[in-house]
Amino acid sequence: MFLPPLIYYLIFRYVPVVMAVVISMMDYNIYKGILASEWAGLKHFIDFFNSVYFGRLLRNTLMINLLNLVFVFPAPIIFALLLNEVRNSFIKRTVQTISYLPHFVSTVIVASMAVTFLSPSVGLVNNILVQFGMERTNFLLDPNYFWGIYTFMDLWKTLGWSAILYFATLTGINTELYEAARVDGANRWHQTWNITLPGIAPTIIILFLLKIGHMLEIGYELIVLLYNPNTYLTADVIGTYVYRRGILDANYSFASAVGLFQSIMGLVLIVIANKLARKYSETSLW
């Protein structure tokens, strides 16, 4: 029973990673193959660190993830806590179902919606601004707006789906604790602060640690669909850079080196975060 998943992970997980590590240290030529391509050592890593794009890519990737950590990560927790207080089961199920729907919307459609709503000529956002006496703005061509646009789209798409784990955790909290708290005179806020939050705290910590481990990774598909040369200053991240250098420019070795750097830094961050979690709480990944 264990053999099929073992074979799957060896072929589709382990071997590609090993090959990517090898390719990142070679001047890989797709026509010569790995055996005939020349060895380059750490050349591609050094070129990336000395690149004029390195600082910009690192800044944009970290800033977008920090905005996600501040605004997107807590949103499902707050949403689950608020919906948990709703006593009408029909309203509760309806709101849950509606909140899940954006998760199943294609990224291409989400990007198209953003382009339509933010259109400087017919977009709903600009039409509203005009009604308040403001000028029309081409948001998607202004690099100052990109972080906010991406964060809002990510929040809209992931809010309901990310809250599922918290809904499941809330159902596992012993209801007798709430009854005892009410007998002692605790109001809704006291119950939430002293029972509900501690009850879901382990889940929050685990998801937070996993989020820290992905601080240098971003779902670049939406960015690729929204950004343009005018917004590279704030929109270009490590993932999109790897896409351009690896897929569009066919520079596989350089792209593999950048991707390997991204993975190693993510591993370092999650190890550090896990050590801090073990030191200051009872919940950790290992």
Side-chain angles (χ1 to χ4, degrees), residues 78-134:
I78 299 172
F79 178 67
L81 292 174
L82 292 175
L83 202 58
N84 187 56
E85 298 298 322
V86 177
R87 294 294 173 253
N88 188 307
S89 59
F90 174 77
I91 296 177
K92 190 173 183 178
R93 288 196 302 268
T94 302
V95 173
Q96 280 182 294
T97 303
I98 294 174
S99 68
Y100 298 157
L101 294 180
H103 174 77
F104 300 99
V105 178
S106 168
T107 304
V108 176
I109 296 177
V110 173
S112 300
M113 293 171 61
V115 171
T116 302
F117 282 116
L118 298 174
S119 170
S121 56
V122 297
L124 177 63
V125 175
N126 273 297
N127 288 339
I128 294 175
L129 292 178
V130 170
Q131 295 299 320
F132 285 94
M134 303 173 68

Side-chain angles (χ1 to χ4, degrees), residues 113-167:
M113 293 171 61
V115 171
T116 302
F117 282 116
L118 298 174
S119 170
S121 56
V122 297
L124 177 63
V125 175
N126 273 297
N127 288 339
I128 294 175
L129 292 178
V130 170
Q131 295 299 320
F132 285 94
M134 303 173 68
E135 296 182 357
R136 294 182 179 272
T137 304
N138 198 332
F139 294 99
L140 293 178
L141 290 181
D142 191 334
N144 295 319
Y145 293 108
F146 189 86
W147 291 349
I149 293 171
Y150 181 87
T151 301
F152 178 80
M153 298 303 295
D154 191 28
L155 173 62
W156 176 78
K157 187 172 173 59
T158 61
L159 175 63
W161 187 257
S162 300
I164 290 178
L165 284 175
Y166 300 112
F167 287 135

Side-chain angles (χ1 to χ4, degrees), residues 192-255:
T192 300
W193 185 258
N194 295 288
I195 300 176
T196 307
L197 282 177
I200 65 174
T203 303
I204 295 175
I205 294 174
I206 292 296
L207 294 179
F208 180 79
L209 293 176
L210 294 174
K211 192 70 177 177
I212 292 296
H214 291 83
M215 283 297 289
L216 289 181
E217 298 179 17
I218 297 177
Y220 70 93
E221 298 89 352
L222 182 58
I223 296 180
V224 168
L225 293 169
L226 289 179
Y227 80 160
N228 54 73
N230 290 321
T231 57
Y232 278 176
L233 182 63
T234 57
D236 199 18
V237 296
I238 295 177
T240 56
Y241 186 67
V242 170
Y243 166 75
R244 291 202 308 276
R245 295 300 302 270
I247 304 299
L248 301 184
D249 298 342
N251 194 340
Y252 304 113
S253 294
F254 187 85

Side-chain angles (χ1 to χ4, degrees), residues 23 26 44 47-48 51 241 245 251-259:
I23 289 174
M26 305 179 71
H44 301 297
D47 289 345
F48 176 59
S51 170
Y241 186 67
R245 295 300 302 270
N251 194 340
Y252 304 113
S253 294
F254 187 85
S256 297
V258 177

